[in-house]
Amino acid sequence: MSEAAAMERPAVGGAAETKAAGRHFTVALMGAPNCGKSTLFNGLTGGRARVANYPGATVEMRYGEAALPSGRKVRMVDLPGVYGVNPRSRDEQVAVDLVSGAGGEGRPDLILALIDASTLRTHLHSILQMKRLGAPMIVVLNMMDLARRDGLELDVDLLAKRLGVPTVTAWATRSAGREAVLKALDAALDAPPPVPSVDLTEDLKATQSDARAIAAEAIVRDPTAHKLTRQIDAVVLHPVLGPFILAALLFFVFQAVFSWSAAPMEAIEGAIGAIGEFVRGAMPPTWYRSLIVDGAIAGVGSVVVFLPQILILFAFILALEASGYMARAAFLMDELMMRVGLNGRAFIPLLSSFACAIPGIMAARVISCERDRITTILIAPLMTCSARLPVYSIMIGAFIPASSVGLFNLQGLVLFALYLIGVVSAVTVAFILKRTAARGETQALIMELPTYKAPEAGYFLIGLWTRASAFLKRAGTIILATSIGLWFLAAYPTNASGLRETYAGRLGAVLEPLLKPIGFNLEIAIALVPGMAAREVAISALGTIYAIQNPEENDGALIDALQSAWSLPTALAFLAWFVFAPQCFATLATIRRETNSWRWTGFAFAYLTGLAYAASAVTYWTARAVIG
Amino acid sequence: MTASDVLDAGTPSATRALGDLPKNRRARIVAIHTSDDALEATLREIGFAEGDEVEILHYGPLGRKPLCVRLNETLVALRPTEAAAIRVETIA
């Protein structure tokens, strides 16, 4: 279908025809990484970008709709950044496939070719390369406000003439800065700019020299170096101070996640307990009262409590990502990662796996060396994701005293240790993999370091809201469904004289012999089954199980139930299990999709489960021997 | 054998690999050549070109790797192995 559509689209009058055919006029945003494509995309589409979840290889493309001043609408596609038109990694492939029509989506009607105006001299050749893609094009000189502030003086008309395509300036963060782009889009709808003539050489060196000549003509005055960026880098990239700042920053994040969240969590816990009590008091003691109070409220409530911790963690990650520091962290870690057998590019995917392994695994697409990419994917689940926070947090809250050790809070230290165990295991596994299953050359690091920018408040809040709503949506869907399902299994048959005789107990008893040697009780065996869906479900499942068992004294706090029902060795073994266990269908599905291999997926599941079992066993028996 | 070797012989300010440039010393790229075509394309696409100004600003904390290089108005991190493909001569 895309072939035919492309044939029917001549350079002039194409817009009218495609509109008549009921097809949306599609505009693709293309340009080097970090030139502001997504910011412009969000600005043009009103921030209502549909973030595509998992539709195959096109996952990193984002679609949205931009309303033009004339009232008409165009479909916008946000693409991964590409330096040229020769893709070297999977994310670049997605972008090049789309604009060349090889992605099966149909070619875009227009390319918005973005370039960071302050890097015009160095990156202009990428615009010349894009002209070869055979689609009408508008060049957008983005971040013009910052470039002007740094002293750039530019003859835009001359540049447009030399490039032979319409050229506009923009600063994507402000609506005033997006006006010229919108006007140009309106004009393109009426009369699309012609497909650029392709009298261009294929030779990159010649293209570069053409681009340098054009830039030399159009640039009246070069911008001066970013003084602030150089000053910050002098400290942050200092060979001694730099690594120390990185370590301190990460440590601070984990301390903050624990200590800043205490008060809001207590408030939410109190509110959930009060809601449960209110419903219990307002309803007759029927089966559906138990379903609502013990199933839905106790189950979902035990997870929703962790919203403050998740928000604090994501706030730090978003701020680090927006600031430009992440690339510096990759720079500092590169040699260390290299010695382990990974490259510095793997550091950002692994760091974002602290939020969630799924975007981390997908972010590994930037690694062009296939072996390095597979290794990174396989170890990403060892990075402690935010879904493990509820598990860690509740166990630490129940079994680790909140005493101080020097300057630090003991609970925060234990949490940091759990994260550290994850990281050390990941490094060890990578080291072994690179020498066995995933042997091969390690890829070179060639990476641009962006100038520092203060995070945009709006963008930051949207990011935070996206994460918070995703978390709450999970609580309202998967967790609510498994809580209700588990409630039925754990509450029936009604003549059961204890948990063991309920349906859930009978199911759990099948797993129990396997888990008993590592210190797990029947309740854990039951909770681990729905916990395969997502890690935090194990906690909501325990919430439901203990709520049904102690209906009278239930005040919504799972911590108290655990304290009286579990021994310390069991609690520690449970923690050790969650450091390693691949208890997340979505992660396994993502590994399957990204590696396109059941073997690697099976391998990931087997090695992580094996590690989890061994770690729990060692923890349980060591703790028992020590405690006596 | 290559353009830079000819330059080496012919000019008083000899060329050297970008990685061998002293820190904070401005230099101009005179040639980019390596037997690895993909590497050359990667270097060119991120922006390295003959005539461009470069300067090493920072080294990584372990073994002075990787390098943080100012390329015109941009900053690029790369390893000495790859930087060896870029021949430079210092600017007075």
Side-chain angles (χ1 to χ4, degrees):
Chain A
M1 151 236 135
S2 58
E3 291 281 313
M7 303 274 266
E8 283 169 11
R9 207 182 314 134
V12 180
E17 280 174 37
T18 49
K19 271 174 81 82
R23 229 184 121 265
H24 283 290
F25 189 86
T26 302
V27 179
L29 281 162
M30 207 179 175
N34 217 45
C35 69
K37 292 179 296 299
S38 296
T39 312
L40 181 62
F41 175 81
N42 281 339
L44 292 175
T45 59
R48 288 166 305 205
R50 181 175 73 83
V51 181
N53 254 340
Y54 309 111
T58 63
V59 67
E60 282 139 322
M61 293 198 274
R62 280 186 294 179
Y63 291 92
E65 212 174 48
L68 303 182
S70 64
R72 290 175 295 186
K73 285 180 174 158
V74 292
R75 194 166 80 124
M76 307 288 302
V77 194
D78 187 21
L79 294 176
V82 208
Y83 278 111
V85 290
N86 308 309
R88 260 173 281 282
S89 56
R90 295 201 166 199
D91 60 326
E92 297 186 351
Q93 189 75 51
V94 170
V96 174
D97 279 355
L98 181 104
V99 291
S100 62
E105 283 265 352
R107 295 169 72 148
D109 300 273
L110 181 77
I111 294 176
L112 270 189
L114 260 73
I115 185 165
D116 175 352
S118 62
T119 66
L120 191 62
R121 197 177 281 278
T122 313
H123 288 158
L124 188 63
H125 63 275
S126 70
I127 301 285
L128 296 187
Q129 283 183 298
M130 278 183 239
K131 282 171 69 177
R132 278 214 306 272
L133 292 168
M137 190 165 117
I138 296 174
V139 172
V140 179
L141 302 166
N142 196 23
M143 305 196 219
M144 200 59 189
D145 52 339
L146 298 178
R148 281 211 186 98
R149 191 197 59 195
D150 290 332
L152 174 75
E153 276 177 47
L154 190 65
D155 187 339
V156 180
D157 293 334
L158 183 69
L159 183 65
K161 214 168 117 197
R162 289 284 177 273
L163 289 174
V165 288
T167 303
V168 297
T169 59
W171 46 104
T173 50
R174 298 278 175 272
S175 68
R178 296 189 294 262
E179 266 170 24
V181 178
L182 287 167
K183 264 190 216 151
L185 285 176
D186 241 341
L189 265 186
D190 293 328
V195 174
S197 57
V198 278
D199 55 343
L200 282 154
T201 166
E202 287 273 335
D203 181 47
L204 192 50
K205 188 176 169 182
T207 308
Q208 271 185 319
S209 104
D210 288 351
R212 294 292 193 272
I214 295 172
E217 263 190 276
I219 294 173
V220 180
R221 197 163 72 104
D222 271 304
T224 52
H226 292 257
K227 218 172 168 184
L228 185 65
T229 293
R230 290 197 60 161
Q231 284 165 345
I232 297 175
D233 276 346
V235 179
V236 160
L237 295 184
H238 187 274
V240 181
L241 273 178
F244 179 77
I245 291 171
L246 176 59
L249 198 63
L250 293 179
F251 187 75
F252 175 74
V253 171
F254 297 125
Q255 285 280 322
V257 162
F258 227 81
S259 53
W260 295 2
S261 64
M265 282 176 72
E266 226 162 83
I268 295 177
E269 202 161 53
I272 290 166
I275 293 170
E277 283 313 301
F278 174 77
V279 174
R280 194 185 295 279
M283 289 171 83
T286 50
W287 66 270
Y288 54 83
R289 185 184 79 170
S290 172
L291 169 68
I292 293 171
V293 177
D294 302 329
I297 297 177
V300 174
S302 56
V303 169
V304 169
V305 167
F306 296 97
L307 185 62
Q309 290 193 337
I310 305 252
L311 285 181
I312 293 169
L313 181 69
F314 277 114
F316 278 109
I317 289 178
L318 283 171
L320 285 178
E321 283 176 346
S323 69
Y325 183 73
M326 289 292 238
R328 268 75 184 180
F331 175 85
L332 290 171
M333 293 298 292
D334 181 62
E335 180 61 17
L336 193 64
M337 304 274 285
M338 188 89 172
R339 291 185 190 184
V340 173
L342 286 163
N343 77 59
R345 289 306 289 270
F347 186 75
I348 295 174
L350 292 176
L351 198 62
S352 65
S353 295
F354 279 129
C356 174
I358 292 165
I361 288 167
M362 294 194 306
R365 288 179 183 188
V366 300
I367 301 166
S368 56
C369 169
E370 191 63 7
R371 290 294 178 185
D372 283 4
R373 194 176 70 87
I374 299 270
T375 310
T376 308
I377 288 173
L378 290 176
I379 63 171
L382 286 171
M383 298 289 138
T384 303
C385 69
S386 59
R388 265 176 263 201
L389 258 183
V391 182
Y392 287 180
S393 196
I394 204 150
M395 289 296 139
I396 290 172
F399 293 94
I400 308 292
S403 51
S404 332
V405 179
L407 279 174
F408 307 112
N409 172 306
L410 182 61
Q411 294 184 330
L413 279 178
V414 171
L415 185 71
F416 187 67
L418 287 167
Y419 274 83
L420 211 59
I421 294 170
V423 172
V424 171
S425 315
V427 166
T428 313
V429 170
F431 188 81
I432 295 167
L433 280 176
K434 280 301 282 187
R435 275 148 194 83
T436 53
R439 243 193 314 252
E441 280 291 292
T442 293
Q443 180 210 3
L445 169 93
I446 301 177
M447 178 181 63
E448 202 173 338
L449 300 179
T451 49
Y452 290 99
K453 291 187 177 68
E456 283 282 323
Y459 186 71
F460 177 80
L461 289 175
I462 288 170
L464 210 53
W465 167 245
T466 309
R467 309 301 176 122
S469 57
F471 175 78
L472 290 175
K473 200 174 148 197
R474 258 152 78 104
T477 53
I478 302 179
I479 293 170
L480 181 63
T482 51
S483 295
I484 290 174
L486 194 70
W487 176 85
F488 274 108
L489 291 176
Y492 289 91
T494 42
N495 60 359
S497 63
L499 181 64
R500 196 164 287 282
E501 287 179 23
T502 63
Y503 295 122
R506 290 177 216 175
L507 283 174
V510 178
L511 275 178
E512 202 185 7
L514 210 61
L515 298 173
K516 206 161 192 159
I518 60 172
F520 287 10
N521 54 31
L522 181 65
E523 286 82 358
I524 299 179
I526 296 169
L528 286 187
V529 179
M532 262 321 289
R535 292 180 177 88
E536 65 267 44
V537 172
I539 289 301
S540 67
L542 287 172
T544 300
I545 293 168
Y546 283 107
I548 293 173
Q549 280 187 0
N550 320 305
E552 295 318 313
E553 55 195 88
N554 173 40
D555 61 349
L558 179 56
I559 286 189
D560 304 331
L562 293 177
Q563 270 172 343
S564 54
W566 291 20
S567 68
L568 182 58
T570 292
L572 294 177
F574 188 72
L575 275 178
W577 174 269
F578 273 93
V579 171
F580 300 101
Q583 298 265 89
C584 178
F585 269 138
T587 300
L588 292 171
T590 308
I591 293 177
R592 160 76 187 98
R593 197 189 61 233
E594 296 292 311
T595 60
N596 197 25
S597 149
W598 283 111
R599 276 185 51 212
W600 282 123
T601 313
F603 176 79
F605 181 78
Y607 105 80
L608 289 167
T609 309
L611 273 180
Y613 196 85
S616 298
V618 169
T619 308
Y620 180 66
W621 291 104
T622 311
R624 272 189 60 152
V626 171
I627 295 165
Chain B
M1 147 206 152
T2 62
S4 75
D5 291 335
V6 176
L7 277 172
D8 271 349
T11 51
S13 77
T15 73
R16 54 180 126 195
L18 170 58
D20 299 332
L21 196 64
K23 198 176 157 184
N24 297 325
R25 184 76 169 274
R26 288 162 62 211
R28 199 164 291 287
I29 298 175
V30 292
I32 301 171
H33 60 81
T34 154
S35 54
D36 181 352
D37 288 346
L39 172 62
E40 183 178 331
T42 305
L43 290 170
R44 289 192 184 278
E45 288 200 333
I46 209 164
F48 289 99
E50 287 81 359
D52 284 1
E53 194 181 310
V54 287
E55 177 183 2
I56 294 179
L57 295 183
H58 305 282
Y59 297 104
L62 272 177
R64 286 158 57 99
K65 287 182 268 187
L67 314 167
C68 173
V69 174
R70 178 178 67 79
L71 162 65
N72 301 329
E73 67 284 10
T74 67
L75 294 175
V76 180
L78 76 171
R79 304 185 59 84
T81 335
E82 283 73 38
I86 301 168
R87 303 291 301 181
V88 301
E89 63 181 3
T90 53
I91 304 171

